[in-house]
Every structure is written in C-alpha cells, then in structure tokens.
Amino acid sequence: MSNTKQVKMNDVQGLILRGYNFPNIRYIILSIKDTAGAQKFCADLASGTGLGGLCVTNAEPWKDMVKPDYCLNIGFTYSGLENLIGKENCDVITSSSSAEVFGFFKNGAVNDATAIGDTGESAPANWWKNGGWIPKNDPYEDGSDLHIQITLFTLTPQNREKYYSTLLAMISNTPSGPSVVPVYYQDSDPITVDGNSDYVHFGYRDSLSQPRIDGILWNEPKMKMLMGVSSIDDRPMVPVDRFVISQEASDYYAHTLLTNGTFAAFRLLYQDEAKFNEFIHSGEDAPELIAAKICGRWRDGTPLVVSPDKEDKSLGEPGPENFNFTNFNYLAPSPNQHGNQDGDESGLKCPYAAHIRRANPRDDINVTDNNNDAQTHRIVRRASPYGPVYDPSEKGEVQRGLVGLFIGAVLGFQFRFVTKAWFELGGFRNPDASPNQSGVDPFFGPQVEDTNPGDSIFAYNVGNTYKEMPNNPNEPKLTRFIRTDGSLYLFLPGIAGLKYLSEGKIPPPLTIN
C-alpha cells in the first residue's frame, strides 16, 4: 500500500487518526441477541438521531477546537459482522481482493492466540475473568458471543456514567430482553505523576511516540499549533493507508464496505507489578537503571540513547525525535534531537531487547525482517491504564494493566507482525554480542521458560560490561510481567460502512476498469 491522499475525515472514525486525550474511558464489549435490534442500534449511532442522540465520533476537527462532552467509537468482531450482514455477505468480502486485510480478522484472536504468544496463563480459556465480566454464565471459549466493542471517552467520571446510561437506553427491547447486551466493561482513569497524567503501571511515562501519518489534517504544522502540540517532528512519514483502508491503494482494491475503515486488536493486558518490582530489585545495579534498560527509557520518558546514565529533565519534554538508535551514513541524526546525538548501533546504551526498541526499531536494518522499513509495521495505539496504582503492602492479585486498541489496516503486517516477530521472537537482532542474543521483549517474557535458556535472562550493558539477570540460580528469572486477559480482532468501519451494516447489507464491489 502506498496511497497518501487526504482521507474523508467525516467518514473515518476519529480515534484512528487522532488521540482524544480524554481522562475517563469505558471500554465495553456487547453481545447481539436480536439482529434487527442490533442493526437499529448501529443506525442510530451512525446518524446520531436515535434516543439520546449519541453518535460515533468522526475525524473532523471539533468546533472551535473545543472538546465535546464525549467521544464514542465502535468496532465489530467477525462473528458480529456475520450477525449483522449474514455469512454470505461476509464470504463475499473474504473471497474478494480484500482477503489480505480480511483474513486474519476473520480468523479471530482466539484462533490466533498461540501464534502471537497468548499461551499458558494468557491463553483464551482464561480470558475475560478478571472481574469485568457481567453475565452469570462464562464467555464462550471461541469468542463467538462477543460481537461489538464500544469505547466511550468522557471528561469526567460523572459524564462516563451519564453517557453510558444513555448508550444503554438506545438499545431496543424484544420480548425476551434487550437486543444488545453489555457483557464486559473496563474503566480507565489517568495515573498522574509530577503533574503529568500520561503515566502507566510499572511507573513509566507513556504515549510519547505515535506514527507520523502522511496526508492527514492532524499532522499539518498549522493544525498542530492550533492544538498546542509541537510541530517539531522529522520522523519518516507513514502512508495513511497503513491505518485507513483505501480503494485506491496500489497493492489491492479493497471491498467497498471496508473503505475508510480499519482493523484493530483489542487487548486487555494485566501487569504484574509485584513480580516486576521483585525482578528489578534483584540485580546488582540500581532498580531504576534496570527498569530503564528493560523499557529503553527512564521512567520520566528520557531515552537511554540520549541520556544513558540518568533521567535528564534539562533536555526538555521527551519527543519523538529523541529516539535515534542508529546513525548510518545515509541517515544523519535529527537536528532536533536533544542530548547526545551518537547512535547506539551496538546496543550498549539501549539493549536490543528493550521494549521500545523491539516495538519500533526505527532505521535498524539488522533487525529481523525490518529491511529499513520499520514504518511499514507501525501501529496506532489507543490504550490506557486500568486499576489502582501499585501498593507494596497489598495482598493478593489486584487487577491493573493496560486496555485498548492497537490499530492497523493489515493485522498480519502490523499488530500481528510486531507481536510475533519482534516481541516474542528471540534473536531479534543480528549481530548482538549480549549474552542473551537479543532475548525476548522483557515485559512480555518467554512463552515457556527454559525452552531457550537465553530467553529467561535479561542482559544489558553498563560501562562496556554486560550484566545478566539472573546471575545466580537463587535470583528471579525473567518471566512474564504482562498477561493477556482478553483479546478481540475488530473491524472499525467508516461511517458509511456502519450504515451499510445497520441495513444488513454490503455495497457493490469496486468496478476495476
């Protein structure tokens, strides 16, 4: 795909192309009990003319740049689509030239679990059981009873309850009950540290780098100025059709139902902070240094590549230009990069196994299947923390973690690729002189301990000396600090596509001359 034309902002769901930055969020999963009622629910959300007037938020600028009281977005699982438009229509899309983008979505998160490392405690048999499940009966293990995912963004907790009640009131009733019922929800509220509300569990400042998308209004310098966002961003542009499906993309012609839509993985990720803290306190170096080596940046967001020894607030606000891992001859360091501009091609400052380096290796051509095109695999992440801040005195398992959507037009080449090839695969980068030979992403840990001994240790460099954790049998091994507690593969339609779903049909396919 290579299309960079301006998209129709009024037909694209807003969260795909912009972060709302609303503090109070509710992630809701619903099950369809009556198709006609579900179709009406979708029609009302598409038009905003139903009871209560709630409607799906598109990507157009807000009036006078003032945030509305709420934003709302919607996605559907494959079984949800089958309920709304029927199996035959779904088969038409599957057999069309959209098969590349539709295939992994149709396969679904449950069937894809083993391939992306959702095994053991993270396996589908254990999903949706962390306290947010509403019905008395357990969810189906194949996920076929989970049909719609709605995200409701509000400015206050009170508005979250208000608009959630309005949303439920929009659902029509049948003689046997509501046509659509919520079966799971998870609230998200901000974690604030030193006045910044963009922290997540494990104590890191987050949301520092989203893809720089080409051909959209939000990346124009004038719009950034109006939004109060720095326009200093000289990273390579990512074509917009990596995130919004277009009929005009060069490699395929998408079925018209998919136009201006996209796909996403909805993930509920539990974070074991007690186990994480035990691990970083078990090494011979300061826990803060070990935590920085694991993530690839200090807790306040300062990148290791520009300040390998300490947090450095003198560098100013961390920005996307501050993560230049390699300085090859053809790619000079960003003139806007603060602090040390030397590259880190040897992984001595920021380990190859560090989370942010695995999630986005930038220009490092020696990374598995990167080919100097990491932008191809970029993901838009709309996820936020849930659960209380960690208290070392707490007893038992307290539910906390990260929940939200990981968005890309081709699941197999974006979310699925990054998770499978870069998070879970040992030997991430060649050459690598460290003892664990790149290991695995240290947050997610090895799928099965001791299968590959190098994956159960974490190695990092200090003063040109590699150190291993654990370095004796009595110390904690590197293990999974993040557990998958739920996952869905979703289709996020354009507004026109949502209207077709509400009518139980699909538009005619594009005619190719």
Side-chain angles (χ1 to χ4, degrees):
M1 297 185 292
S2 60
N3 177 48
T4 58
K5 293 184 179 179
Q6 181 82 22
V7 299
K8 295 180 180 178
M9 305 294 272
N10 64 352
D11 194 41
V12 177
Q13 294 200 49
L15 86 168
I16 300 169
L17 296 178
R18 63 174 300 181
Y20 298 141
N21 197 27
F22 276 48
N24 309 110
I25 308 170
R26 179 161 293 173
Y27 299 90
I28 312 152
I29 300 174
L30 304 102
S31 181
I32 296 173
K33 302 300 180 182
D34 176 78
T35 296
Q39 290 169 341
K40 183 180 185 307
F41 182 56
C42 291
D44 290 344
L45 289 175
S47 64
T49 58
L51 178 67
L54 296 189
C55 64
V56 171
T57 304
N58 65 33
E60 288 186 307
W62 297 322
K63 185 179 179 181
D64 299 324
M65 301 303 293
V66 176
K67 289 184 178 181
D69 280 351
Y70 76 91
C71 289
L72 183 147
N73 293 102
I74 190 168
F76 301 88
T77 64
Y78 183 78
S79 59
L81 283 192
E82 281 198 332
N83 266 273
L84 290 169
I85 61 175
K87 184 178 183 303
E88 288 186 3
N89 281 329
C90 286
D91 288 343
V92 169
I93 301 171
T94 305
S95 62
S96 73
S97 53
S98 298
E100 179 185 5
V101 295
F102 208 68
F104 284 114
F105 162 68
K106 179 180 179 179
N107 194 42
V110 170
N111 291 327
D112 213 21
T114 300
I116 66 168
D118 286 340
T119 57
E121 290 186 339
S122 293
N126 302 316
W127 289 354
W128 314 117
K129 298 179 181 179
N130 71 339
W133 184 253
I134 299 171
K136 294 180 180 179
N137 298 327
D138 288 339
Y140 297 167
E141 286 195 13
D142 65 359
S144 61
D145 55 338
L146 309 179
H147 302 135
I148 302 172
Q149 192 279 315
I150 288 176
T151 309
L152 176 65
F153 304 82
T154 61
L155 297 172
T156 66
Q158 293 78 15
N159 272 358
R160 180 166 59 197
E161 298 304 325
K162 170 187 171 182
Y163 288 112
Y164 181 60
S165 296
T166 302
L167 181 72
L168 297 185
M170 293 175 65
I171 299 171
S172 62
N173 283 305
T174 71
S176 58
S179 57
V180 180
V181 297
V183 293
Y184 183 89
Y185 78 94
Q186 182 63 67
D187 286 347
S188 171
D189 298 292
I191 297 175
T192 302
V193 178
D194 295 333
N196 291 308
S197 59
D198 51 2
Y199 277 75
V200 293
H201 297 295
F202 294 157
Y204 297 96
R205 192 172 178 187
D206 200 31
S207 299
L208 298 177
S209 178
Q210 293 279 12
R212 185 179 176 222
I213 305 174
D214 191 15
I216 64 167
L217 180 65
W218 304 112
N219 277 324
E220 296 295 330
K222 184 177 179 180
M223 179 58 71
K224 285 194 167 189
M225 290 177 63
L226 289 172
M227 296 170 63
V229 177
S230 172
S231 60
I232 299 175
D233 189 350
D234 49 19
R235 297 170 300 158
M237 287 282 196
V238 184
V240 68
D241 58 18
R242 304 293 176 192
F243 309 106
V244 179
I245 296 172
S246 168
Q247 291 180 343
E248 299 164 343
S250 60
D251 292 345
Y252 69 93
Y253 289 88
H255 190 281
T256 42
L257 179 70
L258 309 185
T259 302
N260 290 328
T262 195
F263 294 95
F266 177 80
R267 304 283 281 173
L268 180 70
L269 303 174
Y270 166 75
Q271 294 176 245
D272 194 331
E273 194 136 8
K275 192 182 291 184
F276 178 74
N277 281 337
E278 179 187 14
F279 184 79
I280 65 173
H281 281 84
S282 68
E284 62 181 56
D285 287 308
E288 289 304 304
L289 175 63
I290 297 171
K293 294 288 187 177
I294 286 174
C295 183
R297 59 178 178 241
W298 298 89
R299 306 259 200 174
D300 74 341
T302 304
L304 282 170
V305 292
V306 298
S307 182
D309 300 318
K310 65 182 187 305
E311 294 182 350
D312 191 348
K313 291 181 172 54
S314 70
L315 298 175
E317 284 290 291
E321 70 279 358
N322 265 8
F323 295 88
N324 208 21
F325 293 133
T326 58
N327 291 338
F328 294 117
N329 292 333
Y330 55 82
L331 186 63
S334 163
N336 298 305
Q337 179 166 306
H338 308 296
N340 190 311
Q341 292 199 9
D342 294 338
D344 189 29
E345 187 179 347
S346 299
L348 300 182
K349 292 185 287 187
C350 180
Y352 296 128
H355 173 69
I356 65 166
R357 195 157 189 166
R358 296 189 77 100
N360 180 16
R362 280 75 174 178
D363 59 323
D364 193 340
I365 61 176
N366 293 304
V367 166
T368 300
D369 293 333
N370 191 5
N371 300 323
N372 195 32
D373 195 19
Q375 302 303 318
T376 299
H377 305 292
R378 291 307 308 273
I379 299 166
V380 167
R381 195 188 72 169
R382 307 298 185 209
S384 53
Y386 70 89
V389 173
Y390 176 66
D391 180 351
S393 67
E394 66 191 24
K395 305 296 183 183
E397 182 175 288
V398 176
Q399 294 303 318
R400 64 172 58 86
L402 193 75
V403 57
L405 292 96
F406 298 79
I407 298 169
V410 187
L411 283 168
F413 213 53
Q414 290 170 276
F415 168 78
R416 192 176 185 274
F417 174 90
V418 172
T419 304
K420 182 180 179 182
W422 287 352
F423 283 2
E424 296 288 344
L425 182 67
F428 172 68
R429 209 262 195 189
N430 183 30
D432 176 8
S434 64
N436 66 339
Q437 296 290 302
S438 302
V440 295
D441 186 300
F443 282 141
F444 290 88
Q447 289 191 36
V448 180
E449 291 182 359
D450 298 326
T451 300
N452 181 353
D455 288 351
S456 294
I457 66 170
F458 179 64
Y460 61 96
N461 187 286
V462 177
N464 292 323
T465 300
Y466 280 108
K467 299 186 178 183
E468 296 183 33
M469 296 181 63
N471 60 18
N472 69 65
N474 297 321
E475 293 177 355
K477 288 183 178 182
L478 181 68
T479 186
R480 289 185 170 186
F481 303 126
I482 295 177
R483 182 185 73 214
T484 303
D485 276 1
S487 186
L488 299 172
Y489 285 174
L490 300 171
F491 169 54
L492 280 59
I495 308 304
L498 180 59
K499 291 177 180 178
Y500 275 107
L501 299 183
S502 73
E503 296 169 359
K505 62 184 183 181
I506 59 176
L510 177 72
T511 300
I512 304 174
N513 294 323

